[in-house]
Amino acid sequence: MAEDKSKRDSIGMNMKGCQTNNGFVHNEDILEQTSDTGSSADNLQHSNTSILGSQEPDFKGVQPYAGMPKEVLFQFSGQARYRIPREILFWLAVASVLVLIAATVAIIVLSPKCLDWWQEGPMYQIYPRSFKDSNKDGNGDLKGIQDKLDYITALNVKTVWITSFYKSSLKDFRYGVEDFRQVDSIFGTMEDFENLVAAIHDKGLKLIIDFIPNHTSDKHTWFQLSRTRTGKYTDYYIWHDCTHENGTTVPPNNWLSVYGNSSWHFDEVRNQCYFHQFMKEQPDLNFRNPDVQEEIKEILRFWLTKGVDGFSFDAVKFLLEAKHLRDEIQVNKTQIPDTVTQYSELYHDFTTTQVGGMHDIPLDQYSTEFMGTEAYAETIDRTVMYYGLPFIQEADFPFNNYLTMLDTVSGNSVYEVITSWMENMPEGKWPNWMIGGPDSSRLTSRLGNEYVNVMNMLLFTLPGTPITYYGEEIGMGNIVAINLNESYDTNTLLSKSPMQWDNSSNAGFSEASHTWLPTNSDYHTVNVDVQKTQSRSALKLYQDLSLLHANELLLNRGWFCHLRNDSHYVVYTRELDGIDRIFIVVLNFGESTLLNLQNMISGLPATVRIRLSTNSANKGSEVDTSGIFLDKGEGLILEHNTKNLLHRQTAFRDRCFVSNRACYSSVLNILYTSC
């Protein structure tokens, strides 16, 4: 009976308004089936008492307990000491969410535009035929580039730039293209290219390739169809009537080829002259033809689907010609017109740098695209036209090769190149700098070995994207001119010699008995393997500079402020709002000189720390700011703690530049624009 009483009490505790809390009655089925009539009567009586009794149980004096029914829970939850903390926590949660949303919106609104991948770090330009031979035929190839990706990654570069590798039968550095969708067999196969792209991306790098929209090979299918006036291909090239008698052609005008003589060539199949800015085997495309433009777009899409991240458009200053065919003006107006045969004897106002063209190639539909242009015009102000207009985007940047054109160097000449580009570049655009390239003499051959380190320091401390031509990081020079079985000006071949990897046969470039170009005779001492082990080598400094550039906001986002220059040196600072220190860059291009920085920057302490030096022995030491002695070709990056930034001072307002303004918050570790 005691057990029955316990069961009845349990049922009574869980009954209210004929509602049963089954969570606390585990044996209802047993109770309902009991044959004890006395017990049933007792249960019924107890149940009736519970139902007919007080409608609100008395919980006075009862404390909360685990497993309490909801009726008990509701009695306690309504009490002030439980309700108020709960409401406080709820509204705190709501307020926190609103604060987070507001903070996120504020950060998005105030944050500067993130740098694109082509702005984040250096580009490394490779001439594929000379980089690494993987199949022992004496020619560099795509597999060879893939084999050396670890080396490229160790340079801290972000982008690999491969020059032309398209199918071409001409020995013209692969710029007379027969098929824009094929890899020339000398470099490998399309599968090799696809493997290279995958390997480059696996390393976290990006890839840009050369593209030549101005002309094709005369063996290209388009040209063959155009010669016979077949369908839409009839006007794919620039054709014009001309007189051709007894083997002599009278061209439509006096326009000249880059390589001399008339830029018009008579075609016996079509019985007209076609226009060529370069060799007669390279007819110019008619870029005003919408069908040609569409062909170009389709080719770009083809390579983008292969994984290419961007393009370098070559020879774009030749892309359009004036529709009229008026003669170009002679430089020497007294010269007999029939004797004008050299390209330099005319002003090329009608055949170069015509407005428009590049904005007809939209790449903005692709999220990772890049478009650079090789538009090397006569003056900087004409080259920067390829940035486009405020509402017409053309190139992300035209490649800036003006430092490669310095045959002699001084503080004044370097300053002139820097400021000319900055002053002519449209507001908000991004600069770039290069000190070598496949069509210019190598730096050491132009200026001397003593300038390798200081020019690389210049490259990495200027605002914008640094671009390195393969071998410049170790100070490679031109090869000696010899008889070469190649077309074009052989002088442009001298900077394309095989990469110098080690002191083995052929400088480690190839295991073949003969290479397409000879290696430089200095490869025993100027090579990658040797410089890897030398703490003061050009390669080691290059790696230090590229690492500093990657890790310092002062260099990749900061202001550039020019301090002073003369025939010997150039001095400038790199600084950023929110960072209470600046870099003072001192580069000497002249003879040994003594420099007083205190005359240039007020409040400069007696000594500052050398962050990086072309002489690695000085790294980390202190230097006297009232008298800094610099050898020829010596450079210093000095670090100075200060809150007095130069770009805020009226005296320097016209001498400071920034592409995308940003400020740094050390508290939040973010960049913002409202400085």
Side-chain angles (χ1 to χ4, degrees):
M1 291 299 296
E3 182 179 355
D4 291 341
K5 185 178 184 301
S6 175
K7 292 178 181 179
R8 288 195 302 271
D9 291 343
S10 176
I11 294 173
M13 286 286 292
N14 291 280
M15 294 292 294
K16 183 178 184 294
C18 296
Q19 296 181 7
T20 303
N21 183 346
N22 292 325
F24 291 90
V25 182
H26 302 290
N27 298 305
E28 286 180 303
D29 55 339
I30 299 174
L31 291 173
E32 291 171 357
Q33 296 173 10
T34 180
S35 58
D36 188 339
T37 57
S39 295
S40 297
D42 289 343
N43 287 341
L44 181 61
Q45 183 180 0
H46 186 89
S47 178
N48 290 339
T49 302
S50 178
I51 294 172
L52 297 174
S54 176
Q55 295 298 313
E56 295 295 335
D58 184 8
F59 296 107
K60 193 172 185 179
V62 178
Q63 296 296 320
Y65 57 91
M68 69 181 103
K70 62 182 180 181
E71 294 81 5
V72 180
L73 178 62
F74 287 157
Q75 290 294 322
F76 290 106
S77 64
Q79 296 178 11
R81 59 175 175 171
Y82 296 110
R83 186 188 74 255
I84 294 175
R86 186 172 64 250
E87 291 178 352
I88 291 174
L89 289 175
F90 170 78
W91 290 112
L92 281 176
V94 171
S96 298
V97 170
L98 293 175
V99 168
L100 285 174
I101 293 173
T104 302
V105 171
I107 289 174
I108 293 173
V109 171
L110 297 177
S111 293
K113 180 180 179 294
C114 293
L115 295 182
D116 287 308
W117 55 264
W118 46 270
Q119 298 172 311
E120 290 181 339
M123 293 182 175
Y124 190 74
Q125 185 182 20
I126 295 173
Y127 189 72
R129 196 176 180 186
S130 296
F131 197 63
K132 185 70 173 73
D133 173 20
S134 69
N135 60 357
K136 305 179 184 180
D137 67 350
N139 296 287
D141 46 49
L142 299 178
K143 283 185 177 179
I145 297 174
Q146 184 173 343
D147 291 342
K148 292 297 183 180
L149 286 181
D150 285 340
Y151 169 75
I152 295 172
T153 304
L155 296 177
N156 303 308
V157 302
K158 298 295 184 184
T159 303
V160 177
W161 171 8
I162 302 178
T163 61
S164 181
F165 53 81
Y166 304 104
K167 181 182 179 183
S168 171
S169 60
L170 293 176
K171 295 180 178 179
D172 64 348
F173 315 143
R174 295 303 181 268
Y175 286 94
V177 178
E178 287 186 25
D179 191 332
F180 286 106
R181 292 180 172 86
Q182 285 192 40
V183 174
D184 196 291
S185 59
I186 199 173
F187 301 117
T189 65
M190 185 59 75
E191 183 180 0
D192 293 336
F193 178 79
E194 292 168 349
N195 291 337
L196 175 60
V197 172
I200 286 174
H201 289 162
D202 285 345
K203 296 289 185 182
L205 305 175
K206 297 291 186 178
L207 172 66
I208 64 174
I209 62 175
D210 271 4
F211 183 67
I212 310 98
N214 180 70
H215 53 268
T216 69
S217 166
D218 60 355
K219 292 181 173 60
H220 197 290
T221 302
W222 298 346
F223 186 74
Q224 296 302 316
L225 293 171
S226 188
R227 297 176 76 192
T228 57
R229 302 176 188 266
T230 302
K232 67 176 184 178
Y233 300 100
T234 300
D235 295 323
Y236 263 40
Y237 296 82
I238 301 170
W239 296 94
H240 204 276
D241 292 334
C242 58
T243 303
H244 183 76
E245 294 180 357
N246 301 322
T248 301
T249 301
V250 179
N253 55 29
N254 72 341
W255 294 357
L256 297 176
S257 162
V258 169
Y259 297 104
N261 298 315
S262 177
S263 57
W264 296 95
H265 185 74
F266 181 75
D267 180 68
E268 294 180 353
V269 174
R270 180 154 168 157
N271 202 32
Q272 279 187 311
C273 282
Y274 64 84
F275 179 71
H276 60 92
Q277 294 264 27
F278 297 94
M279 299 180 73
K280 63 182 178 61
E281 294 87 357
Q282 296 172 290
D284 274 38
L285 285 164
N286 178 11
F287 207 79
R288 298 187 189 277
N289 185 333
D291 289 330
V292 171
Q293 294 182 20
E294 190 58 37
E295 293 274 14
I296 297 299
K297 295 174 188 176
E298 287 299 322
I299 293 168
L300 297 179
R301 293 186 189 106
F302 172 83
W303 289 107
L304 287 167
T305 58
K306 292 289 183 182
V308 169
D309 299 295
F311 301 91
S312 164
F313 283 71
D314 188 70
V316 294
K317 80 171 183 176
F318 302 104
L319 201 59
L320 295 175
E321 299 77 32
K323 292 182 180 180
H324 62 73
L325 297 180
R326 293 198 295 267
D327 284 352
E328 293 189 312
I329 300 172
Q330 295 178 197
V331 174
N332 180 4
K333 294 182 180 179
T334 64
Q335 186 176 356
I336 299 173
D338 289 344
T339 66
V340 177
T341 60
Q342 298 303 308
Y343 191 73
S344 59
E345 294 172 347
L346 292 178
Y347 292 112
H348 303 285
D349 296 325
F350 302 148
T351 55
T352 62
T353 323
Q354 301 296 297
V355 176
M358 292 307 298
H359 60 268
D360 292 322
I361 308 177
L363 291 182
D364 53 2
Q365 59 185 297
Y366 302 98
S367 60
T368 58
E369 87 289 347
F370 165 81
M371 184 167 70
T373 56
E374 296 181 72
Y376 309 142
E378 293 79 6
T379 58
I380 289 178
D381 62 313
R382 298 189 75 182
T383 299
V384 298
M385 289 172 57
Y386 290 92
Y387 276 111
L389 302 172
F391 300 104
I392 301 177
Q393 172 72 28
E394 291 199 0
D396 289 301
F397 54 63
F399 291 105
N400 174 3
N401 74 327
Y402 289 91
L403 289 173
T404 71
M405 298 169 64
L406 296 177
D407 292 327
T408 59
V409 66
S410 67
N412 290 333
S413 62
V414 169
Y415 166 74
E416 179 64 25
V417 171
I418 296 170
T419 55
S420 294
W421 189 271
M422 299 295 198
E423 291 171 357
N424 283 283
M425 185 177 67
E427 183 178 358
K429 298 299 183 179
W430 190 258
N432 69 98
W433 312 92
M434 53 204 307
I435 57 176
D439 297 321
S440 61
S441 182
R442 285 196 178 271
L443 187 148
T444 58
S445 300
R446 285 186 290 115
L447 306 178
N449 293 328
E450 63 269 27
Y451 289 109
V452 172
N453 288 339
V454 72
M455 289 299 286
N456 276 325
M457 183 169 284
L458 172 70
L459 189 70
F460 279 98
T461 54
L462 289 174
T465 299
I467 303 171
T468 296
Y469 181 51
Y470 82 96
E472 298 290 351
E473 71 274 18
I474 60 173
M476 280 178 57
N478 286 357
I479 54 175
V480 178
I482 58 174
N483 293 325
L484 300 168
N485 185 27
E486 295 288 332
S487 303
Y488 283 1
D489 181 3
T490 57
N491 289 328
T492 61
L493 286 172
L494 305 182
S495 61
K496 298 179 173 71
S497 60
M499 179 66 176
Q500 295 164 202
W501 295 105
D502 54 44
N503 57 13
S504 65
S505 176
N506 297 325
F509 162 72
S510 173
E511 297 180 21
S513 59
H514 177 76
T515 57
W516 84 281
L517 283 181
T519 54
N520 197 305
S521 58
D522 66 0
Y523 77 88
H524 291 285
T525 55
V526 181
N527 66 66
V528 172
D529 273 5
V530 166
Q531 294 196 16
K532 278 182 179 179
T533 62
Q534 296 173 341
S535 61
R536 300 186 182 184
S537 68
L539 177 60
K540 183 63 169 64
L541 177 64
Y542 184 94
Q543 291 173 315
D544 289 344
L545 286 167
S546 60
L547 190 62
L548 186 69
H549 182 274
N551 293 332
E552 282 288 351
L553 287 172
L554 296 179
L555 294 179
N556 56 51
R557 292 301 295 254
W559 287 81
F560 166 92
C561 291
H562 167 250
L563 290 178
R564 188 173 298 177
N565 65 277
D566 67 8
S567 60
H568 294 286
Y569 61 82
V570 62
V571 183
Y572 52 89
T573 66
R574 300 302 309 278
E575 55 190 54
L576 184 69
D577 290 286
I579 297 180
D580 296 335
R581 58 188 174 87
I582 63 174
F583 284 150
I584 306 171
V585 183
V586 183
L587 307 174
N588 183 35
F589 299 98
E591 299 300 324
S592 299
T593 187
L594 190 66
L595 196 63
N596 188 343
L597 283 182
Q598 293 190 8
N599 291 337
M600 303 180 197
I601 304 177
S602 60
L604 198 65
T607 61
V608 292
R609 188 171 75 94
I610 298 176
R611 182 65 181 269
L612 213 54
S613 170
T614 53
N615 181 355
S616 61
N618 296 330
K619 181 180 178 181
S621 62
E622 300 282 325
V623 65
D624 184 355
T625 55
S626 63
I628 301 177
F629 181 80
L630 295 170
D631 284 325
K632 183 178 183 180
E634 185 173 0
L636 299 172
I637 302 177
L638 308 175
E639 193 169 32
H640 167 45
N641 294 326
T642 180
K643 294 184 178 180
N644 191 22
L645 303 183
L646 298 185
H647 73 271
R648 297 175 182 169
Q649 301 177 27
T650 304
F652 290 94
R653 187 163 297 168
D654 296 330
R655 296 157 64 183
C656 294
F657 164 86
V658 69
S659 181
N660 297 317
R661 186 170 184 178
C663 316
Y664 177 70
S665 169
S666 57
V667 176
L668 300 176
N669 192 29
I670 62 170
L671 291 170
Y672 61 99
T673 56
S674 182
C675 301

